[in-house]
Amino acid sequence: LEQESLSWRTETSEVYRINAAAGDGEGCPVSDEMAGLLQECLELSGKSEGAFDITIGALTRVWNIDKWAREGETEGFRPPSPEERESALEKCGSGRVRLEWVTGDGSQARIYLPEGMQLDLGAVGKGLALSRILELLEEEPEVSGAVVYLGGSVLTYGSRPDGGSWKIGIADPSDPSSSVGILTLEGQWCVSTSGDYERYVTVDGVRYHHILDPATGYPARSGLCSVTIVCGSGLLADALSTACFVLGSEQGLDLAKSYGAEALLVEEDGTLRMTEGMREIFSAQE
Ligand code: AMP
Ligand code: MG
């Protein structure tokens, strides 16, 4: 999925091709599947008032936090200058994307990105992968139950051999090796967590993490350390966890509810906030 569709780094991927065509008046032809994915992401941008934005590629590149976090050291890292940040921000904004959906005559969908704009689907990759894995599982009648974990996103499927419920621990952002509590789930669900402890670098006591606020150009500081979403769709769980993280408690809870998803938020002081339905499936650590 990464190589063929989603990676902006890999020349063979569809996203790479779309980004390379930014500014081209002819736009870029996209597969139906990609068009559907982009449409859902653009919709969420609107509903989150721009907090979630897959056109944030130019900004994620000037921060490049993934690189430093992956290399596990901060030497050489510096936050982008105000000029770099401003110029990257000018290239972002879902409102300026045009997606021409498949028409009745069978012609292909096309996307038009303005000059300089770059897509970054990092916020939805794992969720989308879970949806693909679910399709594979459904083709295997001998698989009666499974749990699939893709760094931050979990799929539960079917039932456990002993008939018990699935138990998913939710990491404590202040100590990710322990948990703030346990989710108890029956059957098929997607669970996705976005947190400031997943990928970050610390410089002079300031933590720069990988979830950026398109309103400021800085790592989001909404008073939250993590957001966990539970819903039926992998894509939605992953996208909403990122969106709600940027929005903060009040707007984040409203957004999750508007999608019929359950949300668990860990605030900076450790306070837990959650939707009504979450209370029924989550039990906090004693
Ligand atoms: P996640 O860990 O699922 O919350 O996704 C974080 C990744 O999504 C980052 O590494 C970026 O690639 C991308 N990203 C960061 N900020 C945003 C944002 N505000 N909207 C959409 N994608 C973002
Ligand atoms: Mg996400």
Side-chain angles (χ1 to χ4, degrees):
L1 191 60
E2 182 79 358
Q3 300 293 312
E4 287 173 15
S5 311
L6 302 181
S7 171
W8 58 263
R9 292 187 179 88
T10 312
E11 290 183 27
T12 50
S13 84
E14 203 168 1
V15 163
Y16 190 96
R17 225 166 21 78
I18 294 170
N19 285 343
D24 185 336
E26 301 287 298
C28 182
V30 291
S31 62
D32 289 359
E33 201 173 11
M34 179 60 76
L37 166 64
L38 295 173
Q39 173 125 321
E40 276 198 65
C41 289
L42 294 173
E43 261 175 44
L44 181 58
S45 276
K47 289 193 181 157
S48 67
E49 290 172 11
F52 175 85
D53 195 338
I54 55 164
T55 70
I56 204 171
L59 189 65
T60 53
R61 252 153 275 187
V62 293
W63 280 94
N64 213 0
I65 286 165
D66 291 13
K67 176 188 160 198
W68 300 103
R70 194 169 41 231
E71 292 179 355
E73 51 179 285
T74 54
E75 205 171 323
F77 171 85
R78 61 166 181 85
S81 69
E83 294 75 29
E84 287 172 314
R85 228 180 43 244
E86 284 306 318
S87 122
L89 272 176
E90 281 168 15
K91 298 180 181 121
C92 307
S94 286
R96 293 187 298 130
V97 175
R98 189 154 65 92
L99 181 65
E100 246 168 38
W101 194 238
V102 190
T103 51
D105 64 11
S107 63
Q108 211 177 354
R110 297 185 91 82
I111 185 161
Y112 300 80
L113 300 186
E115 183 83 42
M117 183 177 279
Q118 300 284 283
L119 300 185
D120 177 340
L121 296 182
V124 293
K126 285 171 284 191
L128 202 64
L130 286 186
S131 303
R132 287 280 188 88
I133 290 168
L134 175 61
E135 286 169 21
L136 296 178
L137 289 172
E138 284 170 341
E139 286 167 15
E140 300 292 335
E142 68 270 29
V143 177
S144 59
V147 177
V148 182
Y149 174 70
L150 288 176
S153 291
V154 180
L155 167 72
T156 63
Y157 174 79
S159 55
R160 274 172 34 152
D162 65 4
S165 312
W166 302 114
K167 306 274 186 195
I168 313 286
I170 305 301
D172 178 351
S174 65
D175 174 15
S177 64
S178 64
S179 68
V180 291
I182 307 278
L183 287 173
T184 302
L185 300 171
E186 311 277 348
Q188 184 192 312
W189 291 101
C190 293
V191 182
S192 189
T193 300
S194 288
D196 65 1
Y197 58 90
E198 292 180 305
R199 268 180 264 155
Y200 64 91
V201 293
T202 309
V203 181
D204 299 332
V206 180
R207 178 184 285 198
Y208 299 97
H209 61 80
H210 70 306
I211 305 171
L212 303 174
D213 184 347
T216 63
Y218 279 98
R221 293 211 53 196
S222 58
L224 294 177
C225 290
S226 85
V227 174
T228 298
I229 299 287
V230 180
C231 67
S233 147
L235 169 62
L236 200 55
D238 200 357
L240 280 175
S241 66
T242 310
C244 295
F245 186 97
V246 177
L247 284 173
S249 291
E250 309 306 331
Q251 282 178 281
L253 284 167
D254 286 347
L255 182 69
K257 281 186 218 158
S258 77
Y259 274 92
E262 303 304 339
L264 170 74
L265 284 54
V266 183
E267 296 182 335
E268 272 168 2
D269 67 359
T271 306
L272 300 179
R273 305 281 303 273
M274 61 194 96
T275 52
E276 278 305 312
M278 182 61 84
R279 288 179 208 287
E280 286 160 30
I281 52 177
F282 177 77
S283 53
Q285 202 76 9
E286 292 301 311

